[in-house]
Amino acid sequence: MDRVTALRDQLVAWRRHLHMHPEVGFEEHETAAYIEAELRRMLGLTVTRPTATSVLAVLKGGKPGRTVLLRADIDALPIQEENTFEFRSQRAGVMHACGHDGHTAILLGVARLLSEHPEEVPGEVRMIFQHAEEIGPGGAEELVMATDLMQGVDVVTGLHLNSQLPAGLVVVKPGAFMAAPDTLSLTIKGKGGHGAHPEQAVDPIAVGAQVVTNLQHVVSRHVAALDALVVSITTFQSGTTHNVIPDTAVLQGTVRTFDPELRQRAPGLIERVVKGVCEAHGATYDLKYEFGYRPVINTDWVAAQLKEIALETVGEEHYQDAQPTMGGEDFSAYLEKAPGAYFNVGSGSDPADSRWPHHHPRFTLDEASLETGARMLHAAALRLTVPESGQQA
Ligand SMILES: [Zn+2]
Ligand SMILES: [Zn+2]
């Protein structure tokens, strides 16, 4: 049995403890205390708190070499868990429904493995247990902008478990991997009135419905088919009762892109549709558009090395080149400061409960994925090397 396999029960125990005690972004006080206490039981790590609810462990290796940053996010979501297993969330309305409990357990495992053999480690390994991935502007941005975490970092990596991939499968790709998740909030202002006399009112629900439909036209008719753009209106709130036409309708949605130029162009395209539809029907509007996380664009040489590491550590049968996804991630904040690559490890099994989508009240992990994740990140910590030709190779 190798050292990662020997750690299997511990990985599961960490993950289940975290799963039972979830906390949402910026409130991860117990979570951070637990992580810190576990890290302090390991020898040779310098453990600090860069922010109130994030934890950093630094290991100085026994050999000269580069500085690598490994990242796990630690926050949960405001979701009421519907799983019934014993280690389900003990906190009403809060749940680890994205797998960050798994990410945290994996990085604790890597810290343990590295701390047992510092002589194997070239340079320095920083392990950041990052708060608030799920809440924009995100914990990563705060760590990058307000602390010296990234100072001297040569390369950064991290992983997300993925319930839509078979457990144990590792996927990596160079270049565009995850989209920029921008958001819009739209208030349509009509004129209220009696439900029996719409001719005396300006019905914001009817106008809003047109806006929703026409926004899909932006995607299908104003943007080239191969330029990825998603516009989803995800909330539509208006009205109070059956015989009153309300004054306003409030809509929210998300806009996803990879391409920076299209990302800048999207708000204008959207506003043109909103303005046109509202004007056509005598309504006015207030549109707020917010840019969220940057897209995750993996550095080519880092992705290539991770692929090589995967082929050697998990084997060809457990590796695939990744497909880009329209999901967003604040891992992109680290990539502004250092080369790096983000990758996925499958955590879904058939037939089993672990295929539920992320952010679903029944989401869970096939815990075999913890071992794969730890194996990959441990190997990356030991083997990622900055190419001779410099960081832009
Ligand atoms: Zn999530
Ligand atoms: Zn997540």
Side-chain angles (χ1 to χ4, degrees), residues 6-338:
L7 204 59
R8 184 187 292 163
D9 291 349
Q10 179 63 73
L11 290 170
V12 169
W14 277 323
R15 182 258 163 163
R16 291 187 178 188
H17 176 92
L18 292 159
H19 194 85
M20 286 173 77
H21 304 97
E23 294 170 301
V24 298
F26 298 106
E27 293 175 20
E28 309 96 328
H29 295 284
E30 275 178 40
T31 305
Y34 178 75
I35 293 166
E36 183 176 350
E38 291 301 306
L39 290 168
R40 287 196 185 282
R41 289 152 61 133
M42 302 170 196
L43 292 176
L45 300 176
T46 307
V47 183
T48 55
R49 292 284 193 97
T51 68
T53 58
S54 61
V55 187
L56 173 66
V58 178
L59 181 118
K60 302 267 190 208
K63 304 187 268 190
R66 81 296 182 250
T67 295
V68 53
L69 176 70
L70 309 178
R71 176 272 208 162
D73 42 8
I74 67 171
D75 58 323
L77 287 153
I79 293 175
Q80 177 62 44
E81 179 157 11
E82 289 176 10
N83 288 312
T84 53
F85 43 63
E86 243 180 30
F87 59 92
R88 67 186 176 274
S89 171
Q90 301 296 297
R91 197 162 271 137
V94 186
M95 176 188 177
H96 270 293
C98 200
H100 300 186
D101 48 347
H103 305 167
T104 305
I106 288 168
L107 194 53
L108 282 171
V110 173
R112 165 83 66 89
L113 293 166
L114 293 173
S115 73
E116 286 170 352
H117 289 281
E119 77 283 356
E120 296 175 352
V121 179
E124 181 178 320
V125 181
R126 294 182 198 170
M127 289 158 276
I128 183 68
F129 296 82
Q130 179 212 309
H131 59 305
E133 189 282 324
E134 302 280 7
I135 303 178
E141 185 78 7
E142 186 181 8
L143 289 166
V144 167
M145 301 308 289
T147 78
D148 57 6
L149 174 69
M150 294 305 290
Q151 226 163 66
V153 170
D154 296 303
V155 55
V156 53
T157 189
L159 66 86
H160 209 298
L161 296 166
N162 185 336
S163 67
Q164 305 308 298
L165 299 173
L169 183 74
V170 176
V171 304
V172 188
K173 84 177 283 298
F177 180 42
M178 299 183 76
D182 301 328
T183 56
L184 66 87
S185 302
L186 172 65
T187 303
I188 296 172
K189 299 170 189 167
K191 187 174 151 223
H194 200 294
H197 297 289
E199 76 281 5
Q200 296 166 8
V202 175
D203 182 351
I205 295 179
V207 177
Q210 293 287 333
V211 167
V212 174
T213 312
N214 277 277
L215 281 179
Q216 296 316 310
H217 208 85
V218 172
V219 178
S220 68
R221 300 292 96 172
H222 295 296
V223 172
L226 293 176
D227 284 347
L229 170 69
V230 169
V231 179
S232 291
I233 298 300
T234 50
T235 77
F236 189 137
Q237 284 160 341
S238 185
T240 51
T241 186
H242 57 87
N243 59 358
V244 176
I245 292 173
D247 272 323
T248 59
V250 179
L251 290 71
Q252 292 178 303
T254 184
V255 182
R256 307 284 171 123
T257 53
F258 290 109
D259 179 61
E261 189 267 329
L262 178 56
R263 188 184 188 200
Q264 296 303 323
R265 197 154 64 91
L269 288 170
I270 287 166
E271 179 147 22
R272 200 171 72 187
V273 168
V274 170
K275 185 166 186 273
V277 172
C278 285
E279 272 176 13
H281 301 290
T284 58
Y285 68 93
D286 179 28
L287 177 63
K288 286 197 177 65
Y289 199 96
E290 268 177 55
F291 289 107
Y293 301 151
R294 288 168 284 263
V296 175
I297 311 289
N298 284 338
T299 309
D300 290 354
W301 67 259
V302 186
Q305 286 190 24
L306 286 172
K307 175 176 179 172
E308 222 165 275
I309 289 167
L311 291 174
E312 282 171 35
T313 51
V314 301
E316 211 173 318
E317 66 278 26
H318 299 296
Y319 175 81
Q320 274 175 23
D321 291 336
Q323 298 295 320
T325 137
M326 299 313 288
E329 243 296 337
D330 74 349
F331 186 82
S332 51
Y334 303 107
L335 296 175
E336 289 287 296
K337 299 288 178 191

